[in-house]
Amino acid sequence: MTESLQLPNGKADTRTRSRSDSPSTVATSSSSNRPATPISDATFSLSQVVIGCKVFVAKLMSNNETEFRKAEILSIRGRPDDGSKHEYYVHYVEFNKRLDEWVDASRLNLTKGIEYPKLKKQKSTLGPGKDVAATPPPESPMRAGSNRKSAAPTPLSRLHSDGEAATPSTPGIESLKRKAEDCATPDGATETEDVVMLDPDEPENNRASNHAPQVFSKEQEIEKLRTSGSMTQSVHEISRVKNLNSIQMGRHEVETWYFSPYPQEFAHADMVYICEFCLCYFLSKKQLERHCLKCQLQHPPGNEIYRHEDLSFFEIDGRKQKTWCRNLCLLSKLFLDHKTLYYDVDPFLFYCMTLRDEYGCHLIGYFSKEKESAEGYNLACILTLPQHQRHGYGRLLISFSYELSKVEGKIGSPEKPLSDLGLLSYRAYWTETIVGLLLETNEDITIDEISQRTAITPQDIMHTLQNISALKYYRGQHIICLGDKVIENYEKQKKKKRRVIVPEKLQWKPIHFTQAQLRFI
């Protein structure tokens, strides 16, 4: 049986339906000539998967088993004419961003429904307190109270009057006049804003007479900033999708975790090759090999202030070695989600830990420190490269930062907020240091005395003692009482053979900067 429906624009839409089909499983013909997908109350098609929605995705767990986890779609790439060839960049809900990945359409489970983002209310011009509610998004089995039967949800893409999805082309000037309609689309899409881009090199009279201003949608502007190496605008939205998949540094190939503002030509590169001495980056292995023939650097470009066995620390001034320090920040941004600074390195000192061999000093990790910290921080950013993690190097970096504080005669604390791995490392170091001091001291000791001996702030000491349940209230005052399990864990860690910082090997004096040296403008 054939039905003919009259659309508002006067065109006719023909639908073919067998007598046994129900109205909820109507197959609609489209201009793309791809097979129509039946849509029911619990069945969705790939055309309805858009940026911002949440679906269930097959995720490989640690036990090598596959589980379906709810994930948010952050980006979509692939062939526009074939939805099965699309790739989706997903963020698993309640998982760290480092586990975000590109998945193909076969890993999406649409039978469990699609959860669309909630719309914000439009600002009404009727007066204060009179907001106009935006049109609600399509019903989904994921939403509570959606057991009732409803019509098939509409894909979250702007529709033309003839019912076909709009192409992602640059809109015209008329779109600026329809800014109110663009704030909330009738099909449940997220808010979009049109951004006018003017060419700064073009004369003003040519702009007004010959050319109209170039207009980008919000999504196109975010993509432009993401691939241009900018970290100054829309930082949160740009950095949600990582632009590099993996890097090769020395003999190690490392999968990246987060976005880093490398130049535009490096955006979405499968592999970036990094020189392990000067930290310059290249797109091909051949370029790296040619660079290594001319690179004269065999260690970080600074003063060696510590050497013990095969371990060395170098101090680098960000004002004197800007290029190297910027390359270091770009590299560390691939593995630190909270890091937002990569260009302005003048106010910082960088302390790099290296392993020495016959080829040179290979970078393991580093921490940065402000030349003048008003809050008394002894560390701004810390990172152990992923290929060297789980070998105790993070604890060495933390211990070295406190050794510098002891030489300065100050107490210090790391800059907040700490990353998840950084917080775990600091808690382990604080616990081991404080418990070891308490067990070695046979006399009563106060929080302030612990702080003076370890250079750890009293706030961090209190936080650590509370975390291990070592603070007890006894006869009107708080006392420190270590439990048997805490002592047992300390003795177990002490038996392990680990590297330690030897204070006698530190050859360093605090640097005092003048007011002129602290002006970085």
Side-chain angles (χ1 to χ4, degrees):
M1 181 175 64
T2 303
E3 298 180 339
S4 179
L5 302 179
Q6 194 71 20
L7 296 177
N9 58 359
K11 296 183 180 180
D13 182 24
T14 303
R15 302 185 180 187
T16 303
R17 184 179 65 186
S18 63
R19 296 183 182 273
S20 59
D21 289 338
S22 61
S24 60
T25 59
V26 177
T28 305
S29 62
S30 61
S31 59
S32 62
N33 296 327
R34 61 184 179 187
T37 304
I39 299 178
S40 64
D41 291 340
T43 304
F44 297 83
S45 62
L46 289 175
S47 61
Q48 296 169 281
V49 178
V50 296
I51 296 176
C53 70
K54 295 180 181 179
V55 298
F56 280 89
V57 180
K59 183 182 184 303
L60 182 64
M61 308 301 290
S62 58
N63 53 4
N64 293 329
E65 294 182 358
T66 301
E67 294 184 5
F68 284 100
R69 294 283 183 170
K70 184 189 292 188
E72 180 183 358
I73 305 296
L74 300 183
S75 182
I76 302 176
R77 68 184 182 187
R79 293 172 52 186
D81 59 338
D82 190 353
S84 62
K85 299 297 183 180
H86 282 166
E87 286 185 324
Y88 304 86
Y89 192 81
V90 298
H91 166 65
Y92 297 100
V93 179
E94 298 179 354
F95 283 81
N96 191 276
K97 280 177 60 179
R98 73 171 63 95
L99 301 178
D100 296 357
E101 59 180 342
W102 288 98
V103 300
D104 54 23
S106 62
R107 293 176 59 179
L108 271 60
N109 187 354
L110 302 182
T111 60
K112 295 187 177 184
I114 301 177
E115 181 179 333
Y116 293 93
K118 295 181 180 180
L119 293 180
K120 298 179 180 179
K121 292 183 178 181
Q122 301 182 35
K123 292 184 178 181
S124 174
T125 58
L126 301 177
K130 297 181 179 180
D131 294 335
V132 180
T135 306
E139 293 290 341
S140 169
M142 274 190 183
R143 295 188 178 276
S146 61
N147 295 329
R148 65 182 185 277
K149 293 185 178 180
S150 59
T154 307
L156 288 188
S157 59
R158 185 162 302 167
L159 301 180
H160 290 308
S161 58
D162 57 357
E164 297 181 0
T167 58
S169 59
T170 304
I173 293 298
E174 290 78 5
S175 61
L176 296 177
K177 301 178 182 180
R178 299 194 302 268
K179 191 172 183 180
E181 289 90 8
D182 290 341
C183 292
T185 58
D187 51 10
T190 54
E191 296 183 45
T192 58
E193 296 178 359
D194 295 324
V195 181
V196 180
M197 302 296 293
L198 300 177
D199 188 358
D201 299 328
E202 184 180 7
E204 294 185 3
N205 54 356
N206 290 345
R207 298 178 191 171
S209 59
N210 299 331
H211 303 284
Q214 191 176 9
V215 183
F216 290 92
S217 66
K218 184 177 180 181
E219 289 77 10
Q220 291 170 324
E221 174 67 7
I222 292 174
E223 183 65 22
K224 182 178 178 65
L225 291 174
R226 180 186 293 125
T227 58
S228 65
S230 173
M231 282 287 287
T232 59
Q233 305 179 54
S234 304
V235 176
H236 176 69
E237 295 184 73
I238 298 170
S239 61
R240 297 193 74 184
V241 180
K242 64 181 181 182
N243 50 345
L244 306 183
N245 293 327
S246 58
I247 62 172
Q248 179 176 323
M249 188 173 178
R251 62 177 182 222
H252 302 281
E253 291 186 3
V254 187
E255 183 179 354
T256 61
W257 295 352
Y258 307 110
F259 168 86
S260 182
Y262 277 89
Q264 181 177 359
E265 56 268 23
F266 290 82
H268 309 296
D270 292 332
M271 177 75 73
V272 173
Y273 300 88
I274 298 178
C275 175
E276 58 180 336
F277 295 114
C278 69
L279 305 183
C280 291
Y281 38 86
F282 305 92
L283 281 174
S284 67
K285 190 174 183 180
K286 186 65 176 179
Q287 291 177 335
L288 176 63
E289 292 174 351
R290 294 175 59 186
H291 165 79
C292 291
L293 295 176
K294 298 179 290 184
C295 184
Q296 301 296 324
L297 208 59
Q298 293 184 338
H299 59 78
N303 299 323
E304 186 178 12
I305 61 176
Y306 179 91
R307 176 181 290 192
H308 179 59
E309 298 176 348
D310 59 347
L311 199 68
S312 293
F313 276 86
F314 290 84
E315 181 184 56
I316 302 100
D317 190 339
R319 191 169 192 172
K320 297 179 180 179
Q321 301 291 340
K322 292 185 179 181
T323 301
W324 194 91
C325 293
R326 288 171 182 171
N327 291 341
L328 177 62
C329 291
L330 283 173
L331 174 64
S332 63
K333 183 64 184 70
L334 292 171
F335 310 104
L336 292 176
D337 188 27
H338 292 86
K339 186 175 182 60
T340 58
L341 173 69
Y342 84 98
Y343 190 81
D344 185 17
V345 295
D346 290 11
F348 293 91
L349 294 169
F350 295 83
Y351 296 89
C352 299
M353 179 171 58
T354 62
L355 275 179
R356 298 191 318 278
D357 59 15
E358 64 273 16
Y359 300 104
C361 297
H362 305 273
L363 182 67
I364 298 177
Y366 85 101
F367 68 88
S368 59
K369 180 180 179 180
E370 286 186 277
K371 296 177 180 178
E372 189 70 26
S373 176
E375 295 82 3
Y377 294 134
N378 67 348
L379 184 145
C381 181
I382 184 172
L383 171 70
T384 303
L385 294 176
Q387 62 266 34
H388 299 293
Q389 291 181 0
R390 294 185 173 272
H391 291 86
Y393 293 124
R395 184 185 179 280
L396 286 178
L397 286 170
I398 297 173
S399 178
F400 192 81
S401 68
Y402 281 106
E403 289 298 331
L404 298 183
S405 297
K406 292 177 183 178
V407 175
E408 291 177 308
K410 301 178 181 179
I411 59 175
S413 179
E415 185 175 337
K416 311 300 190 302
L418 289 168
S419 63
D420 52 350
L421 297 180
L423 180 59
L424 292 176
S425 300
Y426 263 95
R427 282 181 176 175
Y429 173 80
W430 289 335
T431 300
E432 184 176 351
T433 303
I434 295 172
V435 172
L437 178 61
L438 292 175
L439 293 178
E440 294 173 0
T441 304
N442 296 325
E443 56 186 14
D444 294 340
I445 190 172
T446 63
I447 299 293
D448 291 335
E449 291 174 344
I450 297 176
S451 177
Q452 293 298 325
R453 296 189 187 184
T454 61
I456 304 174
T457 61
Q459 293 79 8
D460 292 335
I461 295 175
M462 291 290 294
H463 172 77
T464 304
L465 294 176
Q466 292 174 354
N467 189 47
I468 62 177
S469 301
L471 281 181
K472 305 294 182 182
Y473 189 76
Y474 180 73
R475 292 186 178 182
Q477 62 179 354
H478 286 88
I479 62 172
I480 302 175
C481 181
L482 299 178
D484 295 337
K485 188 175 181 179
V486 174
I487 299 176
E488 181 181 351
N489 291 336
Y490 172 78
E491 296 294 340
K492 186 184 300 184
Q493 295 293 329
K494 192 175 180 180
K495 293 180 181 179
K496 295 181 180 180
K497 294 182 178 180
R498 296 185 300 181
R499 297 174 180 265
V500 295
I501 297 296
V502 182
E504 293 78 14
K505 300 294 183 178
L506 177 62
Q507 304 294 326
W508 179 77
K509 292 183 179 180
I511 304 176
H512 299 284
F513 297 94
T514 64
Q515 291 297 324
Q517 292 174 322
L518 293 176
R519 294 193 186 101
F520 307 109
I521 300 178

